[in-house]
Amino acid sequence: MKIKSQEALVRQRKRWIKLALLLAVIAGCYLWWKQGKLISETWSPNKQYVVREYRTFEFIPRIAMPGDGGHYSGYMRVYNRDGKKFYEEYSDLLDFIEGPFWAKEGVYWMGNDNQDIVRLPTSPVD
């Protein structure tokens, strides 16, 4: 059995440290990107729930037609009054989504992939 030299062990340890640092940087960048920037928030009629829209950073800028403005992507998140998150959905074209619309069962919006109602523990309208 051949024993590795001390120098080879040090090189191997440095590679693992570099890999761990790279993965930490990637994870940190992903968390920063996913957090997004708050664009709007809409409270339910009884002020128990809120839908917040977050715009995410675009690494590759979108090309828009003149007068079209820039479309943006991001997350729609549903929270209760205490800040507990109930739902999160990503949308490529967040500016095309209509809503939120509050119903007895929960909240919904139109123009995204998921057209279902987001059920909430209590009614957002009284």
Side-chain angles (χ1 to χ4, degrees):
M1 182 194 270
K2 188 174 182 180
I3 298 176
K4 290 185 178 181
S5 70
Q6 186 67 25
E7 294 154 355
L9 290 173
V10 169
R11 280 194 305 268
Q12 186 178 12
R13 187 174 298 151
K14 284 183 181 180
R15 275 188 245 135
W16 281 110
I17 290 172
K18 288 178 185 177
L19 179 64
L21 287 174
L22 178 65
L23 291 175
V25 167
I26 290 171
C29 288
Y30 173 74
L31 291 175
W32 168 80
W33 173 83
K34 188 174 180 184
Q35 175 185 348
K37 178 182 176 185
L38 181 63
I39 296 296
S40 70
E41 65 180 22
T42 307
W43 286 87
S44 65
N46 65 4
K47 305 291 186 212
Q48 294 294 317
Y49 300 97
V50 63
V51 173
R52 293 185 178 135
E53 293 181 6
Y54 292 88
R55 180 180 183 169
T56 54
F57 178 75
E58 297 287 334
F59 292 101
I60 301 172
R62 295 176 189 243
I63 298 173
M65 296 300 290
D68 192 22
H71 299 300
Y72 57 91
S73 57
Y75 286 92
M76 294 169 294
R77 297 178 178 133
V78 180
Y79 297 91
N80 70 357
R81 183 173 46 187
D82 299 326
K84 180 181 177 190
K85 183 169 45 173
F86 285 101
Y87 182 76
E88 175 180 85
E89 181 176 345
Y90 178 79
S91 176
D92 282 330
L93 295 171
L94 197 58
D95 51 333
F96 282 128
I97 293 178
E98 296 179 27
F101 303 106
W102 301 96
K104 261 186 185 178
E105 299 82 21
V107 62
Y108 66 96
W109 40 83
M110 292 185 240
N112 58 332
D113 293 336
N114 183 10
Q115 299 291 328
D116 293 337
I117 192 164
V118 176
R119 305 236 180 244
L120 298 171
T122 60
S123 176
V125 294
D126 287 331

